C-alpha cells in the first residue's frame, strides 16, 4: 500500500524548484503489483513465415534476451506504448511498482515474453474475429475524431462486429483475471477505448484505473452510445483524460465516478541533438538540400492526422518560399502493421497525399520518410524550421512536446488536446485545421521571422514541455496509484 | 452342491456394483435434470441437478444396504423422520431459499434498486439465500425474509425499472467465456427491435468457482406490454446457449 504524505522539507523545496508543488508518495511506501493493459503491444512480432507464407504458431513463452530486435520483434512506435513503457520503468526504478504484467493484443507473438522485470502477456485473436473487432475500433475512432457523422453508427453496440469487440475484451479480461489469481495485483490499469468494457468484465473489487487517450467531445459521440459507454466507464474507480476540457466533457457525458486530468508525457532523455554531419547525411537521404527550409509534420499516416491540410498550405506558400519543403514523418500504426490488425489505411492515405501534391504541382517539395528510428526523428526535428500539428481532432499531440524539446516553433490545431497548453505568440501558434489559409498564414509568420518570433516560440515551448515529461508523469501517476489503491 | 468359496463375497460385489451404478446414474440424472430444467429455468438448473443426484444416491444407498442384509426399513424410517423433521424445522428458511430462486426469475429488482415491500423501503444491498437486506433512508438495515418478496406486493421505485430484464444463469467452469459471450450477443442481436437500442446486453459475472460461473444477463425492453414475451424469449435463448455450452460447443 502507498502512504501519501504532503511535501515537506527538502522534498517540498525540490518540488517547488521544479514547479510541481504536488504531494509525493512516502518513500517507504510498499511497491505495488500492477497489471497494465493496452491494445497495442510493447513489442510487435513479425512471426516466422513458412514456405507457403503462413505464419507459424509462435512459441508459448520466450525470453526477450533470446530474441533479436529487428529480426524477431520491434518496439511499437509512438502512441500509448511510448508513454506506458517509460512510466513503468520509472515507477519500477523508483520502487513504486514491484511486479509488472502487461497484457496486449498480439496475434503473432508468443503467449508470454519475459523482459527482465516486465512480463508481457499477449492475447491472440483469430483473423476473422480480429477483422470484425477492427471495424468496431475504426468506427469508434472515426466517430470520436469527427470523421463520421455521430448518428451514422447508432446501432454499433448491437452489431455482430461488436460481439467480436466484446470477445476481445472478455478474452483480455479473462487473461487478467487468471493472472490475478497467481499475482494478486494491487491495481489494474487499462488504457484506451479499445478496451473500455474490460473494467466491467473483470469482476473484481480491486482498484481499476482507465486512461482515455483520444479526444472526448460530447458533440462527436452519438446519443445512443451514451448509456453503454457510461456504463463501461463507471465500472472503473478512476478515469484519466488528457486535458481539462475532456474532463468537463466526460462529466457532461454522464460519467459519475472520479476523473482526473494528467497530461501525456515523453522522456526528455530520449531526445538528443544529433551532430550536424549526421543531420546533413540523413537529410540528404530524404532528398533535402542544405539550403532547403523544412516544415515538419510528424504523424501516423492517417486521414485523421490531417497532413493534406499542410500539403495545401504548402501550395499556397510555394510561390513566396521557393526553398520550402514539407517533410512528412511517420508510417502506419499497429492497426496497419502486418503483425497487428492488418488494415491498409496508411498506404492508401500516403497514396492520396502523393496524388494531392501532384495535382497541386508541388510533388517535388514533399518528402515522405516512412517509419523512422528515434535517432532519425531527432534529425527531422533538428532539420526543421517549424513543425505543424494539423489534426482535425487529436487526443493530445505529443509531437508538439517533442518539437518543444527540440526548441522548434510549433503550429498547433485548435482541436488538439495540447492546444490547452499553447499561449498564442508566446509558445506556439494556434490554427483552425479546416482553414488551409490559416495554416499557411501562421507558417508564413514563422518563416518570415525565424530568428525573432520563431526563436521565441521555440524557447518558450521548451519550458512548457516540462509539464509533459516523464518526471512529472511518474510523480502524478504514482500519487494517483496510491490514492486509488488506498481509496483516497 | 456346494457353492464356490468366492460366492461368499457376492453380496459385497453386488454392494459395490450398486454403488458404481448409483454413482453413474447420479451423474446422469443430475446432468439430465439440470439440462431439462435449464431449458426453462436456467437459474435453478444446477440445484435441480444436485437434488436429482442426491435422490438417486438415497435410493441406491438403500438398495446397496439391502444387498448386505441390513434392514432398510429402519433406514428408510430414519430418513423419512429426518426429512419430516427437517421440513418442519426448516420450513421458514426453505421457503426463503425457494423464494430466493423464484425471486431471481419473477421479482423485478436487483442489487442497487430501491424497493418497497411489506412496509419496508430501501435500497437493495444484499440478497442472500434467506433474506434480502435493504438500506433504509434513515441509514438502518432492514432484513426482509425472501419469502415476503413472493407473498407480498413488491414495488420497485427505481426509475425505468420496468425496462430491465435480468436472467441469472450458470455455465460450467470449462466454458470458453469469450466465445460464449460473443455467440450470446449475436443471438440477442436478433431481438434488437424489441430491446432498448441504447442499452446493449450486459453480462455480469456474479460468482465463479472451478466448477461453474454464475452470470446475470441484463437487457432493457422498449415496450412494457412486451415484457413477458421478451423475458420468455431471452430466457429461451440463454437456455439454448447454456445447453450448447454444456454440450461442449463453447
Amino acid at each position: 500500500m502507498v502512504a501519501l504524505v504532503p511535501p515537506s522539507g527538502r522534498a517540498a523545496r525540490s518540488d517547488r524548484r521544479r514547479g510541481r508543488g504536488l504531494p509525493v508518495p512516502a518513500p517507504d511506501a510498499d511497491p505495488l503489483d500492477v497489471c497494465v493493459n493496452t491494445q497495442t503491444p510493447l513489442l510487435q512480432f513479425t512471426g516466422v513465415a513458412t514456405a507457403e507464407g503462413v505464419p507459424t504458431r509462435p512459441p508459448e513463452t520466450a525470453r526477450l534476451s533470446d530474441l533479436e530486435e529487428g529480426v524477431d520483434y520491434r518496439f511499437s512506435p509512438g502512441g500509448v506504448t511510448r508513454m506506458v513503457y517509460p512510466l513503468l520503468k520509472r515507477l519500477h526504478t523508483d520502487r513504486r511498482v514491484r511486479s509488472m504484467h502487461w497484457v496486449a493484443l498480439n496475434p503473432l507473438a508468443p503467449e508470454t515474453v519475459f523482459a527482465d522485470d516486465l512480463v508481457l502477456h499477449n492475447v491472440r485473436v483469430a483473423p476473422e474475429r480480429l477483422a470484425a473487432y477492427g471495424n468496431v475500433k475504426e468506427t469508434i475512432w472515426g466517430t470520436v475524431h469527427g470523421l463520421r457523422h455521430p448518428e451514422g453508427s447508432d446501432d454499433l453496440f448491437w452489431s455482430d462486429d461488436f460481439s467480436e469487440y466484446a470477445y476481445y475484451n472478455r478474452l483480455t479480461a479473462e487473461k487478467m483475471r487468471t493472472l490475478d489469481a497467481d499475482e494478486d495485483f494491487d491495481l489494474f490499469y487499462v488504457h484506451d477505448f479499445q478496451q473500455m468494457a474490460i473494467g466491467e468484465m473483470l469482476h473484481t473489487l480491486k482498484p481499476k484505473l482507465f486512461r482515455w487517450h483520444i479526444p472526448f467531445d460530447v458533440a462527436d459521440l452519438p446519443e445512443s452510445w451514451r448509456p453503454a459507454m457510461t456504463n463501461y466507464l463507471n465500472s472503473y474507480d478512476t478515469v484519466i483524460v488528457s486535458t481539462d476540457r475532456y474532463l468537463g466533457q466526460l462529466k457532461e457525458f454522464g460519467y459519475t465516478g472520479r476523473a482526473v486530468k494528467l497530461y501525456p508525457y515523453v522522456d526528455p532523455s530520449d531526445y538528443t541533438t544529433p551532430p550536424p554531419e549526421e543531420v546533413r547525411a540523413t537529410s540528404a537521404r530524404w532528398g533535402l538540400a542544405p539550403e532547403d527550409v523544412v516544415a515538419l509534420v510528424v504523424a501516423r499516416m492517417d486521414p485523421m492526422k490531417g497532413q493534406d491540410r499542410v500539403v495545401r498550405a504548402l501550395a499556397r506558400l510555394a510561390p513566396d518560399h521557393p526553398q520550402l519543403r514539407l517533410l512528412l514523418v511517420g508510417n502506419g500504426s499497429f492497426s496497419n502493421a502486418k503483425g497487428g490488425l492488418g488494415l491498409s489505411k496508411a498506404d492508401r492515405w500516403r497514396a492520396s497525399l502523393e496524388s494531392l501534391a501532384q495535382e497541386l504541382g508541388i510533388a517535388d517539395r514533399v518528402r515522405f520518410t516512412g517509419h523512422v528510428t528515434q535517432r532519425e526523428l531527432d534529425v527531422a526535428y533538428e532539420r526543421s524550421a517549424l513543425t505543424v500539428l494539423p489534426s482535425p481532432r487529436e487526443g493530445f499531440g505529443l509531437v508538439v512536446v517533442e518539437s518543444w524539446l527540440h526548441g522548434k516553433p510549433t503550429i498547433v490545431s485548435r482541436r488538439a488536446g495540447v492546444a490547452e497548453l499553447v499561449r498564442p505568440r508566446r509558445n506556439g501558434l494556434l490554427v483552425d485545421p479546416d482553414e488551409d489559409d490559416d495554416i499557411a498564414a501562421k507558417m508564413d509568420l514563422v518563416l518570415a521571422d525565424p530568428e525573432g518570433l520563431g526563436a521565441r516560440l521555440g524557447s518558450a515551448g521548451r519550458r512548457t514541455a516540462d509539464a509533459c515529461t516523464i518526471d512529472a508523469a511518474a510523480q502524478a501517476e504514482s500519487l494517483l496509484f496510491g490514492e486509488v489503491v488506498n481509496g483516497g | 452342491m456346494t457353492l464356490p468359496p468366492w460366492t461368499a463375497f457376492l453380496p459385497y460385489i453386488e454392494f459395490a456394483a450398486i454403488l458404481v451404478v448409483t454413482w453413474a446414474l447420479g451423474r446422469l440424472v443430475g446432468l439430465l435434470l439440470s439440462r431439462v430444467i435449464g431449458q426453462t429455468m436456467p437459474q435453478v438448473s444446477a440445484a435441480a441437478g444436485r437434488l436429482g443426484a442426491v435422490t438417486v444416491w438415497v435410493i441406491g444407498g438403500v438398495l446397496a444396504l439391502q444387498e448386505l442384509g441390513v434392514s432398510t426399513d429402519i433406514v428408510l424410517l430414519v430418513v423419512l423422520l429426518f426429512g419430516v423433521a427437517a421440513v418442519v424445522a426448516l420450513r421458514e428458511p426453505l421457503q426463503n431459499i425457494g423464494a430466493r430462486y423464484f425471486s431471481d426469475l419473477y421479482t423485478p429488482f436487483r442489487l442497487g434498486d430501491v424497493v418497497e415491500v411489506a412496509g419496508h423501503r430501501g435500497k437493495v444491498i444484499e440478497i442472500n439465500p434467506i433474506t434480502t437486506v435493504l438500506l433504509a433512508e434513515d441509514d438502518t438495515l432492514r432484513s426482509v425474509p425472501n419469502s415476503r418478496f413472493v407473498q407480498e406486493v413488491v414495488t420497485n421505485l427505481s426509475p425505468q425499472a420496468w425496462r430491465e430484464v435480468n436472467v441469472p444463469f450458470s455455465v460450467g467452469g470449462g466454458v470458453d467465456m469469450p466465445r460464449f459471450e460473443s455467440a450470446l450477443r449475436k443471438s440477442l442481436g436478433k431481438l434488437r427491435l424489441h430491446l432498448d437500442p441504447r442499452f446493449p446486453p450486459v453480462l455480469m459475472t456474479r460468482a465463479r468457482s472451478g466448477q461453474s460461473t454464475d452470470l446475470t444477463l441484463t437487457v432493457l425492453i422498449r415496450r412494457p406490454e412486451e415484457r413477458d414475451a421478451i423475458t420468455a424469449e431471452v430466457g429461451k435463448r440463454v437456455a439454448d446457449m447454456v445447453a450448447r455450452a454444456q454440450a461442449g460447443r463453447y
Side-chain angles (χ1 to χ4, degrees):
Chain A
M1 296 291 163
V2 172
L4 296 172
V5 293
S8 62
R10 212 166 141 187
R13 283 194 298 277
S14 168
D15 274 337
R16 279 195 293 274
R17 274 200 303 275
R18 285 179 286 182
R20 292 173 200 151
L22 292 168
V24 294
D28 57 349
D30 287 341
L32 302 175
D33 299 318
V34 178
C35 183
V36 171
N37 165 242
T38 60
Q39 177 215 256
T40 304
L42 175 64
L43 306 177
Q44 293 182 21
F45 286 77
T46 50
V48 181
T50 61
E52 293 78 33
V54 180
T56 54
R57 188 173 173 79
E60 291 303 307
T61 60
R63 292 198 169 276
L64 192 59
S65 53
D66 297 334
L67 304 172
E68 190 178 346
E69 185 177 358
V71 177
D72 300 305
Y73 70 90
R74 70 179 179 113
F75 280 90
S76 290
V80 173
T81 56
R82 196 180 176 95
M83 285 169 55
V84 174
Y85 184 48
L87 177 75
L88 286 178
K89 275 198 306 185
R90 172 63 63 89
L91 294 178
H92 188 257
T93 304
D94 293 349
R95 298 184 52 75
R96 304 294 183 212
V97 164
R98 183 172 41 212
S99 77
M100 302 177 292
H101 291 255
W102 187 335
V103 181
L105 175 62
N106 214 349
L108 298 180
E111 192 169 339
T112 312
V113 178
F114 297 93
D116 296 328
D117 298 309
L118 177 62
V119 187
L120 306 172
H121 302 273
N122 297 305
V123 172
R124 299 169 184 163
V125 176
E128 62 278 11
R129 289 188 190 272
L130 209 53
Y133 156 73
N135 292 338
V136 173
K137 180 197 144 165
E138 288 298 308
T139 301
I140 298 175
W141 176 272
T143 305
V144 168
H145 285 88
L147 300 174
R148 285 169 178 264
H149 191 276
E151 305 312 321
S153 311
D154 262 349
D155 62 349
L156 175 73
F157 291 86
W158 286 95
S159 63
D160 280 0
D161 282 353
F162 190 78
S163 299
E164 304 306 344
Y165 176 95
Y167 172 89
Y168 159 60
N169 275 243
R170 179 70 71 176
L171 192 63
T172 306
E174 292 287 293
K175 167 68 90 176
M176 294 167 79
R177 193 187 59 78
T178 307
L179 291 171
D180 186 44
D182 290 334
E183 301 293 331
D184 195 15
F185 297 121
D186 294 301
L187 177 70
F188 292 98
Y189 194 0
V190 178
H191 286 264
D192 227 354
F193 72 100
Q194 302 95 332
Q195 287 90 215
M196 64 182 156
I198 283 177
E200 184 187 76
M201 292 174 172
L202 270 175
H203 182 59
T204 177
L205 294 173
K206 291 186 174 176
K208 290 167 292 198
L209 261 179
F210 181 73
R211 181 154 193 153
W212 181 272
H213 287 268
I214 57 178
F216 199 102
D217 283 291
V218 174
D220 290 329
L221 294 165
E223 182 60 31
S224 60
W225 291 10
R226 188 184 293 239
M229 280 183 64
T230 50
N231 184 43
Y232 291 141
L233 295 173
N234 279 323
S235 67
Y236 294 92
D237 297 277
T238 300
V239 171
I240 306 169
V241 291
S242 299
T243 70
D244 285 323
R245 190 163 62 86
Y246 299 156
L247 202 58
Q249 293 285 296
L250 184 67
K251 288 177 178 170
E252 188 183 325
F253 192 63
Y255 174 69
T256 56
R258 182 170 186 248
V260 296
K261 176 217 56 185
L262 294 178
Y263 288 130
Y265 47 85
V266 296
D267 186 348
S269 68
D270 288 342
Y271 299 86
T272 54
T273 305
E277 57 273 22
E278 185 179 344
V279 174
R280 269 195 300 275
T282 307
S283 300
R285 191 151 46 79
W286 290 333
L288 295 170
E291 64 276 15
D292 287 342
V293 176
V294 176
L296 174 67
V297 176
V298 179
R300 191 176 62 248
M301 275 295 143
D302 190 312
M304 192 277 296
K305 295 295 181 182
Q307 290 97 332
D308 55 325
R309 293 140 208 259
V310 188
V311 172
R312 287 193 292 270
L314 176 68
R316 284 167 169 73
L317 292 169
D320 295 331
H321 299 274
Q323 293 308 127
L324 184 59
R325 301 289 181 268
L326 175 60
L327 188 63
L328 298 175
V329 171
N331 204 346
S333 66
F334 176 67
S335 298
N336 294 282
K338 288 190 172 62
L341 305 187
L343 305 174
S344 58
K345 192 166 56 175
D347 293 338
R348 288 201 304 271
W349 183 238
R350 174 170 173 162
S352 86
L353 290 174
E354 285 171 336
S355 67
L356 174 65
Q358 198 78 42
E359 283 168 25
L360 296 170
I362 52 168
D364 59 330
R365 289 171 174 249
V366 181
R367 308 279 187 269
F368 295 85
T369 67
H371 173 74
V372 295
T373 63
Q374 179 62 43
R375 193 78 181 164
E376 290 168 330
L377 182 64
D378 287 328
V379 168
Y381 281 116
E382 279 306 304
R383 184 64 185 80
S384 68
L386 60 90
T387 63
V388 187
L389 175 72
S391 312
R393 296 283 194 290
E394 182 75 51
F396 190 71
L398 274 174
V399 292
V400 172
V401 178
E402 293 178 340
S403 175
W404 280 338
L405 286 171
H406 282 275
K408 296 297 174 179
T410 306
I411 295 165
V412 181
S413 162
R414 288 182 198 282
R415 296 200 210 118
V418 71
E420 191 168 292
L421 287 172
V422 175
R423 302 285 169 268
R425 291 183 178 261
R426 290 170 64 184
N427 60 0
L429 297 172
L430 292 175
V431 290
D432 180 342
D434 292 334
E435 295 290 336
D436 300 339
D437 285 339
D438 190 22
I439 297 172
K442 299 290 168 47
M443 289 172 69
D444 195 34
L445 270 180
V446 177
L447 293 170
D449 187 13
E451 305 302 322
L453 178 66
R456 281 201 308 279
L457 295 179
S459 170
R462 178 66 190 81
R463 291 190 294 277
T464 309
D466 284 345
C468 305
T469 62
I470 184 73
D471 287 342
Q475 190 176 344
E477 298 233 12
S478 178
L479 179 71
L480 181 63
F481 282 15
E483 287 175 351
V484 172
V485 170
N486 290 319
Chain B
M1 191 175 88
T2 53
L3 292 170
W6 64 266
T7 54
F9 296 102
L10 200 54
Y12 299 104
I13 294 169
E14 286 175 348
F15 174 79
I18 290 172
L19 286 186
V20 169
V21 171
T22 301
W23 174 81
L25 266 178
R27 299 267 302 182
L28 185 66
V29 168
L31 196 66
L32 280 175
L33 260 181
S34 65
R35 200 169 283 185
V36 170
I37 301 282
Q39 295 285 327
T40 49
M41 293 186 289
Q43 70 279 13
V44 297
S45 65
R50 279 196 294 273
L51 185 65
V54 167
T55 307
V56 169
W57 269 106
V58 168
I59 296 168
V62 167
L63 290 174
L65 287 172
Q66 278 178 339
E67 287 305 315
L68 292 179
V70 176
S71 172
T72 52
D73 294 348
I74 299 293
V75 174
L76 284 173
L77 188 63
V78 169
V79 168
L80 188 67
L81 284 175
F82 263 107
V84 171
V87 167
V88 171
L90 300 173
R91 190 163 56 93
E92 286 291 325
L94 285 174
Q95 274 184 356
N96 289 323
I97 291 168
R100 166 76 176 89
Y101 278 119
F102 286 106
S103 70
D104 264 354
L105 234 200
Y106 300 115
T107 310
F109 69 85
R110 63 172 184 166
L111 285 173
D113 284 355
V114 177
V115 300
E116 188 172 301
V117 59
H120 301 284
R121 175 194 285 213
K123 180 186 270 193
V124 180
I125 60 169
E126 181 185 332
I127 307 173
N128 61 50
I130 306 296
T131 65
T132 294
V133 182
L134 306 181
L135 176 62
E137 284 177 4
D138 59 2
D139 214 27
T140 57
L141 291 181
R142 311 281 170 89
S143 187
V144 183
N146 288 332
S147 57
R148 304 299 289 271
F149 284 86
V150 289
Q151 293 164 353
E152 308 267 347
V153 173
V154 181
T155 308
N156 191 333
L157 301 162
S158 300
Q160 305 286 309
W162 64 268
R163 287 181 178 275
E164 209 166 87
V165 171
N166 296 301
V167 181
F169 63 98
S170 301
V171 294
V175 169
D176 183 334
M177 278 299 296
R179 287 183 63 202
F180 177 83
E181 179 173 356
S182 174
L184 180 60
R185 282 177 178 277
K186 283 179 184 162
S187 173
L188 293 169
K190 313 279 187 198
L191 303 176
R192 68 216 276 182
L193 289 179
H194 301 277
L195 300 173
D196 189 326
R198 299 167 305 155
F199 293 89
V202 174
L203 190 62
M204 290 289 289
T205 310
R206 283 182 294 141
R208 194 190 284 266
S209 69
Q211 282 73 45
S212 66
T213 303
D214 298 335
L215 303 151
T216 297
L217 171 73
T218 302
V219 293
L220 271 71
I221 60 175
R222 281 191 197 219
R223 289 178 282 275
E225 64 273 20
E226 286 186 342
R227 185 181 168 90
D228 196 30
I230 298 293
T231 304
E233 180 62 27
V234 171
K236 180 178 174 300
R237 283 175 184 267
V238 169
D240 286 347
M241 298 294 302
V242 171
R244 285 183 202 178
Q246 283 173 338
R249 292 275 300 274
Y250 308 112

